[in-house]
Amino acid sequence: MDPKDKFHGCVTSKLQRKACKSHAPVAMRTNIRTQALQSTQQKAYLMASPFVALFLPLLLLLVLHRLPLFALGLRPPAVRYPTFVLGDSLVDVGNNNYLFTISKANSPPYGIDFAPSGGQPTGRFTNGRTTSDLIVEALGKNSFPPPYLAGNDSSIAVQNGINYASGASGILDETGSLFVERIPLSMQVKYFEETRDYMVRTLGKNATEFLKTAVFQIITGSNDILNYFEPSVYLFGGKKLAPTALQDIMVSNITLNLKRLHELGARKFIVVGVGPIGCIPYLRVMKLVKKGECLSAANTVIQGYNMKLIRAINKLNEDLGPESTFVYANIYDIFLDIIQSYHKYGFENAYDPCCGLSFPPLCFGGRDGNSSTILCKDRNKYVFWDAYHPTEAANIIMAKKLIAGDANANSFNLRRLYTGLL
């Protein structure tokens, strides 16, 4: 692999390309007179059809060499790879709608810019698409992985994948307990196991090959660290851990869940690090951070966790490769650059939420989504949608950098993972 394709040494495996097998046509007995007649008819047809005569050599070349049509620009490439998403509110697409929880995004103005729903809320914690939505869309998918709890026909998993993400959840089972119900990472893995059991029943041995083409996105950890800096979370028992102990427990738990997914047949992983939540409006206001600055204590813990996560991912690649690939996505540097250089990206505000207040972190409105107490006039000019989550405009920038790779953040090119070019 070219060194420039590596991210902190996290990508070490190569996917084997299957050799194409060509089968010689079986000879068939044909009447000589019939053959001659057919040959005469074919020659007459070719002479009478300049279009066929012109393009037949090209068509034969496509057939013989199996050259994909999209290589000639005749149609866009279709993505065959389903995506299974596990994570928190950054990528929840509606699972929390079916839970008894305070953490919901099923009322306006959430989803106001989400075109597939006509601007109606779907459970996404932003005004439009999530980064996960944008990645699968950019790589050719026509629809997004649906929420697991929506009870869709399980056959959808074979086409698009499934989204198991849950707002307020984390790597640790205890994370988000103040929000009542949520789906921790360990339970999301169990839900995938149920999906996998269905695929085995319906696809048989083909389920194993199918899962080798699927991509698993894991976007979690933000709430574990956010809860750590919320004093109220620790009022209900337990001594507050040292930052290094929290990092170690988080890395240990996410590693166990990644290994379990691997045992269930997953082979392609995108593990997204935790972003700079010390810069989100809620935490900045709660900790009385000056405008234009971030809570350095939180970001220091995050950076320490991300570095330990990178080492764990390197180890997974060493132990489970080369047939498996674990890619670390460096969202921390990408999002921090957007916040610090927001004018460069066309934003006007990188510190206040477009909708609602920083504290209390409330974003709500009327049925039309436009009658909230506070809703910015131009959502494309704000980095943050609410007190916790980015706007679709910010998500678009992050998704593009993750897909194509970003030199400043040493981000790996995710398109290569999806298309099997590692």
Side-chain angles (χ1 to χ4, degrees):
M1 179 185 299
D2 193 314
K4 68 181 180 181
D5 288 334
K6 294 184 179 180
F7 170 63
H8 293 301
C10 294
V11 182
T12 59
S13 64
K14 276 198 174 183
L15 297 177
Q16 298 286 337
R17 291 187 177 178
K18 293 184 178 180
C20 296
K21 296 182 179 179
S22 58
H23 300 278
V26 179
M28 301 183 67
R29 297 180 180 177
T30 307
N31 184 281
I32 298 177
R33 180 174 298 178
T34 304
Q35 269 190 331
L37 178 60
Q38 290 176 343
S39 178
T40 302
Q41 291 174 338
Q42 289 171 354
K43 289 179 181 178
Y45 176 73
L46 290 176
M47 291 179 65
S49 176
F51 178 84
V52 175
L54 178 62
F55 286 96
L56 184 59
L58 177 59
L59 294 174
L60 287 174
L61 182 64
L62 293 174
V63 173
L64 292 175
H65 295 278
R66 299 185 180 184
L67 181 65
L69 291 175
F70 67 79
L72 300 178
L74 300 180
R75 62 177 173 83
V79 175
R80 301 168 297 166
Y81 316 104
T83 299
F84 294 93
V85 183
L86 299 88
D88 52 33
S89 57
L90 291 171
V91 287
D92 187 350
V93 296
N95 282 307
N96 275 26
N97 292 349
Y98 303 92
L99 300 178
F100 181 71
T101 179
I102 303 172
S103 180
K104 287 182 182 287
N106 61 346
S107 62
Y110 286 96
I112 190 172
D113 297 309
F114 190 68
S117 68
Q120 295 302 307
T122 62
R124 288 168 169 81
F125 288 76
T126 184
N127 59 307
R129 293 162 293 178
T130 68
T131 51
S132 178
D133 291 332
L134 291 158
I135 288 172
V136 298
E137 184 179 63
L139 294 172
K141 280 292 185 183
N142 296 322
S143 58
F144 308 121
Y148 175 80
L149 294 182
N152 295 280
D153 185 345
S154 295
S155 62
I156 293 177
V158 179
Q159 303 171 13
N160 299 314
I162 296 289
N163 185 303
Y164 306 91
S166 173
S169 71
I171 296 171
L172 308 180
D173 288 351
E174 302 81 11
T175 296
S177 58
L178 290 182
F179 291 90
V180 195
E181 287 189 330
R182 71 276 179 222
I183 312 171
L185 178 61
S186 60
M187 182 58 67
Q188 293 179 36
V189 173
K190 290 179 180 177
Y191 283 159
F192 167 71
E193 186 171 0
E194 295 178 7
T195 303
R196 186 251 189 194
D197 290 343
Y198 168 84
M199 290 189 291
V200 170
R201 291 194 302 271
T202 56
L203 298 177
K205 295 181 179 179
N206 292 329
T208 301
E209 293 302 315
F210 166 79
L211 286 175
K212 289 180 180 178
T213 70
V215 176
F216 288 74
Q217 296 182 10
I218 296 88
I219 304 96
T220 186
S222 296
N223 290 323
D224 300 281
I225 295 177
L226 180 61
N227 284 185
Y228 184 78
F229 285 92
E230 293 176 312
S232 59
V233 174
Y234 290 91
L235 293 179
F236 298 95
K239 184 180 179 181
K240 193 167 185 177
L241 297 170
T244 54
L246 174 67
Q247 296 165 354
D248 293 339
I249 292 174
M250 288 174 62
V251 171
S252 175
N253 279 28
I254 196 172
T255 302
L256 288 174
N257 283 290
L258 290 171
K259 288 182 177 179
R260 180 55 184 155
L261 288 171
H262 182 270
E263 290 173 358
L264 294 170
R267 292 296 180 266
K268 294 181 178 182
F269 299 85
I270 301 171
V271 185
V272 181
V274 175
I277 62 170
C279 302
I280 65 173
Y282 166 71
L283 206 53
R284 289 180 56 260
V285 170
M286 189 182 71
K287 295 295 184 178
L288 303 177
V289 178
K290 292 181 181 179
K291 192 164 186 175
E293 298 180 4
C294 300
L295 182 61
S296 59
N299 285 348
T300 298
V301 173
I302 293 166
Q303 288 175 302
Y305 164 75
N306 285 341
M307 291 305 299
K308 291 179 179 181
L309 178 61
I310 289 169
R311 289 195 289 269
I313 290 175
N314 278 338
K315 188 68 165 56
L316 287 171
N317 276 317
E318 293 173 5
D319 295 343
L320 302 177
E323 73 281 358
S324 299
T325 303
F326 295 81
V327 173
Y328 175 83
N330 182 10
I331 204 67
Y332 183 94
D333 288 340
I334 292 175
F335 195 35
L336 186 63
D337 182 57
I338 294 173
I339 294 170
Q340 293 178 337
S341 307
Y342 62 96
H343 284 302
K344 178 178 71 174
Y345 295 99
F347 295 109
E348 296 177 356
N349 192 314
Y351 300 101
D352 302 309
C354 170
C355 179
L357 304 172
S358 298
F359 189 85
L362 301 175
C363 172
F364 58 87
R367 295 182 64 85
D368 61 358
N370 292 313
S371 57
S372 63
T373 305
I374 299 176
L375 183 64
C376 67
K377 293 182 180 180
D378 191 345
R379 297 178 285 276
N380 292 322
K381 299 299 182 181
Y382 277 67
V383 172
F384 289 98
W385 163 247
D386 61 15
Y388 300 99
H389 308 97
T391 56
E392 181 186 68
N395 284 336
I396 289 173
I397 296 171
M398 287 187 282
K400 285 181 177 179
K401 288 179 176 289
L402 288 172
I403 292 169
D406 179 64
N408 293 329
N410 283 331
S411 177
F412 183 77
N413 185 323
L414 297 186
R415 190 184 299 276
R416 294 170 62 84
L417 178 68
Y418 270 84
T419 55
L421 295 177
L422 291 179

